[in-house]
Amino acid sequence: MNLFEHYKKLLSKYGAQGWWPLIELHKNNINPTKTGSMNGYHPNDHSYPKNNKQIFEICLGAILTQNTSWTNVEKAVMNLNDLNVIDPYKIIDESEDKIKLAIKPSGYFNQKYKKIIEFCKFFIKLKENQIPTREELLELWGIGFETADSILLYAYRIPVFIVDTYTKRFLISLDLIQKDWDYNKIQELIENDLGKNIKDDQKVIIYQEFHALIVEYNKRIK
DNA sequence: TTCCAGGCAATAC
DNA sequence: GTATTGCATGGA
């Protein structure tokens, strides 16, 4: 069974996941049956992000969710929203103590504060409609492969497959990779495999959905 | 109480 | 060059 068939199987089993969750959709409660949380998802609506603020919000979430459950990140994002600082200039201008208190529920708040400030400075320097490259993101302190690819795929709709611990576990269970494979090697395998069965203009949507489905699958089998 | 969650950088070896 | 450790909260 190729990876596209695994994708279709998970999709039929769990339904469209509609990542990345956004504050604006938080009240919609579109998918209340989702494991673990939460609202803000937009299954079968691939028109997000709709503006620069939502792009920035996704980037923030990608940093805050490093090694942390989304329910904890959700609290942090909502706190930032309550402070009205989902904006790189406002985060930099706001006091360090207030931002750290807001993001505290997501854990590692000292490190994540520093990561967010670094990212804000970078984000501000981007020109209108400029899309950051993977290399530029990886140069930033606090941004590794997964965070960079999450930002590219969900905030900027660039077709790169996100390899997280769940994805790795999933592929090991299918005996498609070994434990010692590094990030980029795994990513190459996935993209090559899927590339045989999907067209270029479908990649972003399927990469977004498949990654989210793998996360959902791993949460449910526990 | 222990373990882990939508990782990453610093340090040790 | 690879393996281990520190970072921190909240829920199961």
Side-chain angles (χ1 to χ4, degrees), chain A residues 28 32 51 57 90 121 132 136 176:
Chain A
N28 292 3
N51 53 54
E57 180 189 332
K90 291 181 182 173
K121 292 179 189 167
E136 287 169 340
L176 289 175

Side-chain angles (χ1 to χ4, degrees), chain A residues 16-18 22 24-34 38-45 48:
Chain A
Q17 300 297 300
L22 290 164
E24 186 180 334
L25 305 172
H26 195 251
K27 293 193 274 308
N28 292 3
N29 197 16
I30 287 173
N31 193 355
T33 61
K34 181 178 291 297
M38 155 177 165
N39 307 318
Y41 296 91
H42 42 90
N44 297 313
D45 182 348
Y48 294 96

Side-chain angles (χ1 to χ4, degrees), chain A residues 62-204:
Chain A
I63 292 169
L64 289 172
T65 199
Q66 291 172 1
N67 203 36
T68 304
S69 64
W70 184 260
T71 49
N72 282 13
V73 178
E74 181 189 30
K75 293 180 179 73
V77 173
M78 296 308 281
N79 286 343
L80 292 172
N81 191 49
D82 291 343
L83 284 178
N84 190 30
V85 292
I86 309 290
D87 176 303
Y89 295 98
K90 291 181 182 173
I91 286 182
I92 288 175
D93 285 344
E94 187 53 90
S95 74
E96 181 173 339
D97 286 351
K98 270 197 179 177
I99 299 296
K100 282 186 175 177
L101 186 62
I103 66 173
K104 198 168 182 179
S106 72
Y108 312 123
F109 57 89
N110 288 305
Q111 288 191 351
K112 283 178 180 173
Y113 174 76
K114 188 177 164 190
K115 293 177 183 183
I116 286 170
I117 294 297
E118 290 299 303
F119 183 79
C120 285
K121 292 179 189 167
F122 171 77
F123 191 85
I124 285 169
K125 281 192 278 184
L126 292 173
K127 296 181 176 68
E128 183 83 7
N129 296 324
Q130 184 185 351
I131 297 173
T133 66
R134 192 169 193 254
E135 291 69 29
E136 287 169 340
L137 291 169
L138 290 173
E139 282 174 12
L140 298 175
W141 188 87
I143 306 244
F145 293 125
E146 185 183 336
T147 308
D149 288 341
S150 296
I151 288 171
L152 290 171
L153 181 62
Y154 289 106
Y156 291 99
R157 307 175 59 79
I158 302 297
V160 287
F161 203 94
I162 299 165
V163 181
D164 62 356
T165 49
Y166 288 148
T167 307
K168 201 168 172 180
R169 200 179 301 167
F170 179 69
L171 295 177
I172 289 172
S173 73
L174 296 174
D175 210 23
L176 289 175
I177 64 166
Q178 307 300 316
K179 260 188 355 191
D180 63 341
W181 284 36
D182 68 25
Y183 188 101
N184 292 318
K185 187 174 179 184
I186 297 170
Q187 184 178 57
E188 196 181 338
L189 172 102
I190 299 168
E191 292 182 0
N192 284 339
D193 193 320
L194 286 174
K196 293 172 190 162
N197 299 287
I198 62 179
K199 293 176 180 159
D200 285 349
D201 61 359
Q202 291 294 305
K203 282 183 179 174
V204 168

